[in-house]
Amino acid sequence: MDDRSFYHSVQDTTESEEFLEHVFRIILEEAVRKGMDVREKVCNWKDPEELQSLLDLELRSSKESPNKLLEYCQDVFRYSVKTGHPHFSNQLFSGLDLYALAGRMITEALNTSMATYETAPVFVLMEEVLLKKLRELIGWQTGDGIFCPGGSISNMFAMNLARYRRYPDCKQKGLWALPKLVAFTSLECHYSIQKAAAFLGIGTDNVVLVQVDDRGKIIPEELEKEICDAKSQDRVPFLVSATSGTTVLGAFDPLNEIATVCKKHGLWLHVDATWGGSALFSRQHRSLLNGIERADSVSWNAHKMLATGLQCAAFLLKDKSDLLKQCHSASASYLFQTDKCYDISYDTGDKSIQCGRKVDCLKFWLMWKANGTEGLEKRVDRAFSLAKYLVEEIKKREGFHLVMEPEFVNLCFWFIPPSLRGKEKCDGYWERLGKVAPVIKERMVKKGSMMVGYQPHGSKVNFFRQIVVNPSTTEDDMNFFLDEIEKLGHDL
Amino acid sequence: MDDRSFYHSVQDTTESEEFLEHVFRIILEEAVRKGMDVREKVCNWKDPEELQSLLDLELRSSKESPNKLLEYCQDVFRYSVKTGHPHFSNQLFSGLDLYALAGRMITEALNTSMATYETAPVFVLMEEVLLKKLRELIGWQTGDGIFCPGGSISNMFAMNLARYRRYPDCKQKGLWALPKLVAFTSLECHYSIQKAAAFLGIGTDNVVLVQVDDRGKIIPEELEKEICDAKSQDRVPFLVSATSGTTVLGAFDPLNEIATVCKKHGLWLHVDATWGGSALFSRQHRSLLNGIERADSVSWNAHKMLATGLQCAAFLLKDKSDLLKQCHSASASYLFQTDKCYDISYDTGDKSIQCGRKVDCLKFWLMWKANGTEGLEKRVDRAFSLAKYLVEEIKKREGFHLVMEPEFVNLCFWFIPPSLRGKEKCDGYWERLGKVAPVIKERMVKKGSMMVGYQPHGSKVNFFRQIVVNPSTTEDDMNFFLDEIEKLGHDL
């Protein structure tokens, strides 16, 4: 067998290198130039059934030609949402930082796993540098941490560690050996806390959703009351998960008050700062997270406000006793050999529940180098000031009604269409108002002019949630955004 | 405030686009041309302390110049391991498929989340097409599935689903409401099964590691005996996790026999085919997985044998009753609105424990299109035949001793250095032999000539584990590999 020729029948690198060049050109044109251009569409909406018929997704026996493949790539861009577009504010992430993208492309080209130093020497060291900087922003001089595949799993790590610190036996013996545990969070928490309780075998019934005030912040007195109630029922409180930047309202729980309650009752304090954590970069706004240094653990997603690109979810820990590794490790002898030629404390993979783990640090590190801490601070400050600008514009306009004065960059508001204005007291007003946002959303995506989220929330009917975080949005874009809602909803 | 100018102070796209161009050139040069060239080093080894001093990892207040950033990128390549290099066989993944890389670069440029159809229309449909094709290769006409962040988490999904199917109450009430569960797997299983039991609150003591035969395959009679033993102790068996392609030996458990035991006892059968699953592409070798169609769930990592790039971990399910979503969903109203303008069954994100979820399908899909199913079959067959070639070469050479005849592409063997040959009966032989592989490994990484794994295993002292899977390796590379071990170990 002539291996070289056989090899080339599998993968001809001349042809595929040329293909890669073409794809890079398409990326520059479609994702960078057009994808970030306000004159272009955010999305080219098709219903699932229609899109299915427009795409040739079928996987066949025979290989297809490079030209055909390039057409497929064009199709992928044509029908995908441009999350870097200044008019995309549908999620907590948006924007396209080209330094971060460069970091992501290098990551993909090097394609390695973070499990051990020997396969990821540069990235193991780089991850440590980043985690340390993030811990410093929290106010911790020492500690531990790891990047996770998303904030939901970071929150799971927190719950597992809190359980393990209190009952290390759980790892071997399971929950049957433990008293009935109970965790506390607020009614406004991210749904991943409930997912964590279900997945970790604790059960969603054992997550107490504590009352919040009218700003969506947990009420510390209610928290303490719930903790005492649980104790009186022979349930064992073990964790409080506070939120810094709730998903819908952008509320920050009062961390100092919560920390005092946790200290008093000996509970692990986790702060889900997946969304709001990046405010720590801003000397002007970091007070929103006052008290975070008293937490035991923090989840912080840099892919949201800092636009590093999905995923960049740091799980940070105050502990310096190697709790993370003790809790998660399995010491696989084929991977974490103890007779290696280097200091095996650099093999950090066993701190994770993953085996192969993607490199999430390079994109963040390179973007940080390119912007400096000051640049990242500016990015955060700019989001706050644009959000403030939008609030003022909303207040000036008839037909826009804030759900509440925001303290973060989530702007929640109703658009009251002409036919409903002044009819707040009429029967069916709220029901009719609740149908407005979905119609406007449908019209905007079908037009492709912008993407913004809406949702009902507690007793409140559907309202828009504008997330002002895309580093490339401007005041003009904010004006466009309001004009466009007016235009799309003028006949409702 | 002049937003446009302020924007440009944050991110100047002319400069950053140029930077991205440069980075792409570096990728082509370093990762593609040099990274896959046998004449270049696999790694440029530095101890952690030394590497720390060679890299400028510090994150500063001020931004750094594009030229400086490019130097940093060069440093990243200089000191990173080239996992696409023909002499890298240290892990179960290796190789660099440029079509897959193109798919990964597009994924990063589009930077979206798989949570909903509205943010990932193309990719939601594409993921379904891929999952369906993989299910067909298993032998299922219907079913469900999702891509996970790695095989360990896929295995966790299996354990959680098995628990949920039997005791749906667990999701709300936690494990305290359930009898003591017990899972079964083999002594040769991947360590993620124990990690899963710990994380899910079941406990590692409640995973029974069933005896294997001398090939590393589970003994079905032992499995049934253990199940009966557990039942007699009032523990409730709920899951058997069989392995198709064990991590060290590459063993395939006898799935038909195991399926029969599972059926008899009403247990969920999961097949951890993260490593061996890709053999299903080969008409010649797929019989290794005979019986897999009788499983309830399968984990299958395409980033291993198929070289799609990390991560591409499919979790596949025979169930068509929406069990996956019922088990994992939290129905967050801000994300999974029920009044959307499209069929919300396409919002597949709530099937996951993640919220934001990376797009893992495009790289696999594009590579499949570029190679055809036939091309992927060839890739698998080629790995098997190269492994066979290497076995024959090992047998021809003095000083090489197979741990066992392989049935897959894991080649486990000892290198017996000259000073130990013929001394099998001498005192301290095995102890001395166990020290050989680490020394040779140290020498090879410090030289940068190749990377291959070693490990002790059960009662066996350290042996090499060559993984023959890189699509760009040839018979020449196999010869080099043996020559190099001889050379590096000649004085031991």
Side-chain angles (χ1 to χ4, degrees), chain A residues 3 6-7 10-11 16-17 19 21 25 28 33 45-48 51 56-61 63-64 72 79 81 83 90-91 93 96 98-99 104 108 110-111 117-119 121 133 149 152 160 163 171-176 178-179 181 190-191 195 199-206 247 309-310 328 332 334 337 339 341-342 346 350 352-355 358 365 369-374 382 441-442 451 454 462 471 475, chain B residues 3 6-7 10-11 16-17 19 21 25 28 33 45-48 51 56-61 63-64 72 79 81 83 90-91 93 96 98-99 104 108 110-111 117-119 121 133 149 152 160 163 171-176 178-179 181 190-191 195 199-206 247 309-310 328 332 334 337 339 341-342 346 350 352-355 358 365 369-374 382 441-442 451 454 462 471 475:
Chain A
D3 279 286
F6 190 77
Y7 165 54
V10 178
Q11 184 183 342
S16 57
E17 230 184 278
F19 178 77
E21 283 267 7
R25 295 293 135 218
L28 280 185
R33 282 167 213 144
W45 181 265
K46 304 289 168 194
D47 278 327
L51 185 55
D56 177 6
L57 291 174
E58 203 188 327
L59 297 164
R60 303 188 176 84
S61 256
K63 67 178 185 179
E64 308 197 31
Y72 295 141
Y79 298 113
V81 174
T83 63
N90 208 60
Q91 317 297 133
F93 66 89
L96 186 61
L98 299 187
Y99 295 101
R104 303 204 292 274
E108 295 301 328
L110 282 169
N111 186 43
Y117 177 83
E118 77 193 79
T119 52
K133 287 296 273 191
S152 293
N160 197 37
R163 173 169 75 176
K171 185 175 175 181
Q172 280 81 41
K173 297 186 179 167
L175 281 167
W176 297 281
L178 274 57
L181 302 178
H190 188 255
Y191 71 97
K195 285 209 177 189
F199 201 65
L200 270 63
I202 288 168
T204 52
D205 287 354
N206 297 312
T247 314
L310 263 77
H328 287 158
Y334 79 91
Q337 297 91 332
D339 50 7
C341 65
Y342 60 90
Y346 288 93
D350 220 12
S352 176
I353 58 168
Q354 299 185 279
C355 176
K358 271 190 82 79
W365 181 87
K369 282 277 198 191
N371 288 278
T373 315
E374 286 167 1
R382 188 171 179 286
K441 174 71 177 266
E442 178 172 0
M451 281 186 80
Y454 73 84
N462 279 323
E475 291 183 4
Chain B
D3 280 286
F6 189 75
Y7 165 55
V10 178
Q11 185 184 344
S16 58
E17 232 185 276
F19 178 76
E21 284 267 8
R25 294 293 134 219
L28 281 184
R33 282 167 213 147
W45 180 265
K46 304 291 168 193
D47 278 328
L51 185 54
D56 177 7
L57 291 173
E58 201 188 326
L59 298 163
R60 303 187 177 83
S61 257
K63 67 178 184 178
E64 308 199 31
Y72 294 141
Y79 298 113
V81 174
T83 64
N90 207 61
Q91 318 295 133
F93 66 89
L96 187 61
L98 299 187
Y99 295 101
R104 302 204 291 275
E108 294 302 327
L110 283 169
N111 187 44
Y117 178 83
E118 78 193 79
T119 52
K133 287 296 273 190
S152 294
N160 197 37
R163 171 170 76 177
K171 185 175 175 180
Q172 280 81 41
K173 296 184 179 167
L175 281 168
W176 297 281
L178 274 58
L181 302 177
H190 188 255
Y191 70 95
K195 284 208 177 189
F199 201 65
L200 270 62
I202 288 168
T204 53
D205 286 354
N206 297 311
T247 314
L310 264 78
H328 287 157
Y334 79 91
Q337 297 91 333
D339 50 8
C341 65
Y342 59 91
Y346 288 92
D350 221 10
S352 177
I353 57 167
Q354 298 184 279
C355 176
K358 271 190 82 81
W365 181 88
K369 281 277 197 190
N371 288 278
T373 314
E374 287 168 358
R382 188 173 180 284
K441 174 70 177 268
E442 177 172 0
M451 281 185 80
Y454 73 85
N462 280 323
E475 290 183 4

